[in-house]
Amino acid sequence: FRTDGFRFGWWMTLNELVVVSFLAFLFEWAPAPVGVDEVTQKALSYSAQVRRLVALLACALTVSQGAGSASLAFVTFPLKVAFKSCKLLPTMVFGVALTGKRYVGLEYLAAAL
C-alpha cells in the first residue's frame, strides 16, 4: 500500500481532528444524566488548567498523527505500522524511569514480541 504522489495525509488528520473535536464538544456540553445531583455534576466538570493541558495533548497527538499519515508518501503502510508498534518498549522504560511503574516479566516478553 504505497501510492506515489500520496498527498492527503494532513487532510486526513484535519478531518479526524474536526470530527473528534465536534464530538468532544457535544460530550462536554451535553446535559447531565438524569439523577445526577449538583455536587456530582460539579465534580465532573474540568478546570481551566485541565482544559489547557488536554488541548496541548490534543495538539501534540494531532501533529504526531499528521506526520505519520504524511509519511505514507515515502514509506509503505506496513512499515509505518511496524515503527508505530515499536513505541511500546520505550514507553514502558520511561514509565519505569519517570513514574516508578512496575511491570512483570511476562509483560516485557509480550511487548518484545
Side-chain angles (χ1 to χ4, degrees):
F1 175 74
R2 179 172 177 212
T3 306
D4 290 329
F6 183 85
R7 292 194 169 101
F8 58 93
W10 287 104
W11 178 248
M12 290 183 345
T13 303
L14 176 64
N15 286 326
E16 181 181 353
L17 178 65
V18 168
V19 169
V20 170
S21 297
F22 176 73
L23 293 176
F25 177 81
L26 288 180
F27 177 77
E28 181 69 26
W29 284 278
V34 176
V36 174
D37 61 354
E38 262 186 61
V39 175
T40 304
Q41 186 175 358
K42 190 171 186 176
L44 292 175
S45 66
Y46 299 110
S47 69
Q49 183 180 9
V50 170
R51 288 177 196 259
R52 281 192 295 274
L53 289 174
V54 168
L56 181 64
L57 176 63
C59 289
L61 291 173
T62 299
V63 169
S64 173
Q65 181 70 24
S69 296
S71 73
L72 290 174
F74 307 102
V75 299
T76 63
F77 185 74
L79 184 63
K80 175 192 171 199
V81 171
F83 274 106
K84 220 172 174 182
S85 299
C86 293
K87 291 191 299 188
L88 181 57
L89 287 174
T91 301
M92 291 174 77
V93 170
F94 279 112
V96 169
L98 298 176
T99 66
K101 182 163 177 58
R102 298 288 173 216
Y103 299 98
V104 295
L106 189 59
E107 290 175 308
Y108 283 112
L109 178 65
L113 295 177

